[in-house]
Amino acid sequence: KQWYQRRVAITAGGVCAAKNFCKRNSVAKSDADALVSAVLLYIPQVFGHCRFGKNANSFFGKECKNTLQQGYCYGKSLYDGYEVAEKVADCSFGEGDRDYSVSVTYTDMAAVLSSNGPVEQLGALGCESVLPCVEHLADKLAKCAARDDTFYAKALENARNLLEPFITSNMDAVEDSLVCHFGADSDALTLLDLIKQKITSFDDIVDLVNKYLDADTQESLASGARSGLYSFLEGSNEFCDAECISKTSEYFKDLFTATHDAETCPTIESYCGGCQNNAESFISANADSVPCCTQTAMDSIIGSLQSLIEEYGDLLSKIESAVKDTVTEADVSVAGYEAVKAAAMEQAGCLEDTYEDLADGDCA
């Protein structure tokens, strides 16, 4: 009922209804239907120890079926459009230089945000199906957990029993792919061998988790995740009810258009410098025009990220240090990782400065 009411409200409010990404693509639709059937088959095997999990159709719900079908069809269109299969099959065996330069521009990003374009269509799908799906599943899982303190532990064990044979049977394919793209003597293959030595079963993963997360920390993470989920649902409902998809798309379409410049900001590869200056000039010239619902959503996202960093930053640093030590012991250099990390931190700092400009102004 809640899902139906939201859909009616969105359509009546003038916001585009979600596009049927499976339309005119019978192959993708058939594959999507097969995927849904597989999920329905496995739900009782994972959650059947709860009475709600015995009925797969009721547990998954029509919203989640639609989300999975439409998400698969949209993903398949991107997969085919960018010729991913051909690129994956193109083996270089670590020889020659691949071109990893970024050619996407802010003008390209603005085009994606055009009226009734991909972002608005996906946003409509999010409000019409994805959000109700998450709410539906959260409700079912909460009811199961309320009736059985061991519900999640049993579900995890069931999932493990299903996934372990699949992962084991596909490990050779992963190794072949790494050899194909990076070569038999590559660091990538060395890291895979290291992982295979360290993790020989699901129990090894559990031991690693327990090594870095004591019982209190694990409970704190679980409690924080539950709280974060319900906070996300509340904020997302407000975003959808405010018909904020088109408002946000329109604002950022204009922002991205103004950010692009052939000389100072030719691509999205680096934000600091020319791109940041152009974006902040637009924000300054159009002060107080950011939609209030957009500003609220951004504040919520940034606030959540900052809280996570403050609470678990030390833990993440400890894990990062342990992983780097293990990798170094395997004679794999971490210099490339450190360079990427430093560059990412620099870009994140510039983006944060721009966000503060957006957040400080009055909203429209």
Side-chain angles (χ1 to χ4, degrees):
K1 183 178 179 182
Q2 186 179 27
W3 167 78
Y4 174 76
Q5 289 174 334
R6 182 180 293 115
R7 181 167 188 157
V8 171
I10 290 172
T11 305
V15 180
C16 66
K19 177 180 178 180
N20 183 351
F21 293 106
C22 296
K23 191 175 183 180
R24 298 190 183 92
N25 192 338
S26 58
V27 175
K29 176 63 167 59
S30 177
D31 291 343
D33 289 341
L35 181 59
V36 169
S37 297
V39 170
L40 294 178
L41 175 66
Y42 290 126
I43 282 176
Q45 297 183 49
V46 177
F47 302 111
H49 52 290
C50 169
R51 68 182 182 89
F52 296 110
K54 295 183 185 299
N55 186 330
N57 282 292
S58 174
F59 188 90
F60 202 49
K62 61 183 179 180
E63 303 95 338
C64 295
K65 291 179 186 177
N66 189 58
T67 294
L68 187 56
Q69 288 172 326
Q70 297 300 318
Y72 178 89
C73 288
Y74 179 71
K76 186 67 165 62
S77 68
L78 293 180
Y79 184 89
D80 293 340
Y82 286 103
E83 300 178 335
V84 175
E86 291 82 353
K87 293 175 181 176
V88 169
D90 180 21
C91 291
S92 65
F93 299 103
E95 300 295 331
D97 295 325
R98 289 182 178 269
D99 183 11
Y100 292 106
S101 61
V102 177
S103 59
V104 177
T105 69
Y106 279 97
T107 300
D108 295 330
M109 294 179 64
V112 173
L113 291 168
S114 60
S115 179
N116 207 31
V119 169
E120 285 199 9
Q121 295 286 0
L122 289 171
L125 176 64
C127 288
E128 291 182 22
S129 291
V130 180
L131 181 57
C133 167
V134 175
E135 290 175 330
H136 174 82
L137 289 179
D139 178 64
K140 292 292 185 184
L141 293 171
K143 287 179 178 178
C144 287
R147 288 164 170 78
D148 180 3
D149 291 340
T150 65
F151 167 73
Y152 286 114
K154 291 177 181 176
L156 185 60
E157 179 66 19
N158 293 339
R160 163 200 174 172
N161 293 333
L162 282 174
L163 290 174
E164 265 194 330
F166 173 80
I167 294 173
T168 301
S169 64
N170 284 276
M171 191 57 69
D172 287 343
V174 173
E175 185 171 335
D176 290 343
S177 178
L178 291 178
V179 172
C180 163
H181 293 288
F182 302 105
D185 298 324
S186 64
D187 286 346
L189 204 61
T190 300
L191 291 175
L192 177 63
D193 289 337
L194 180 63
I195 292 172
K196 290 165 66 176
Q197 293 170 18
K198 296 285 185 180
I199 302 176
T200 60
S201 69
F202 186 82
D203 291 333
D204 290 335
I205 298 177
V206 174
D207 290 341
L208 280 173
V209 171
N210 292 333
K211 178 179 179 180
Y212 293 103
L213 304 175
D214 58 32
D216 289 340
T217 302
Q218 291 183 38
E219 175 56 35
S220 175
L221 284 169
S223 176
R226 288 191 293 269
S227 175
L229 172 62
Y230 290 115
S231 176
F232 163 79
L233 291 174
E234 181 180 358
S236 297
N237 275 313
E238 292 174 356
F239 186 86
C240 290
D241 293 342
E243 300 170 10
C244 202
I245 301 168
S246 58
K247 297 175 186 177
T248 302
S249 295
E250 184 65 25
Y251 180 83
F252 279 98
K253 178 170 71 69
D254 293 341
L255 173 60
F256 290 156
T257 299
T259 300
H260 175 77
D261 182 87
E263 293 184 2
T264 61
C265 182
T267 72
I268 66 170
E269 186 170 10
S270 176
Y271 181 71
C272 296
C275 296
Q276 180 181 3
N277 293 336
N278 297 343
E280 292 178 358
S281 293
F282 171 85
I283 294 169
S284 176
N286 296 273
D288 310 334
S289 65
V290 59
C292 291
C293 57
T294 304
Q295 196 177 65
T296 299
M298 291 175 60
D299 288 345
S300 177
I301 293 170
I302 297 299
S304 297
L305 289 175
Q306 289 175 338
S307 296
L308 285 173
I309 292 172
E310 290 173 4
E311 189 164 359
Y312 299 110
D314 291 342
L315 173 62
L316 292 174
S317 295
K318 178 181 176 182
I319 294 174
E320 179 193 32
S321 178
V323 171
K324 284 165 57 179
D325 288 344
T326 302
V327 169
T328 302
E329 289 174 6
D331 293 327
V332 175
S333 173
V334 295
Y337 162 78
E338 294 290 359
V340 170
K341 177 184 174 182
M345 294 294 289
E346 179 186 15
Q347 298 301 313
C350 296
L351 287 167
E352 184 177 5
D353 290 341
T354 302
Y355 158 73
E356 289 176 355
D357 284 354
L358 279 171
D360 288 344
D362 293 330
C363 58

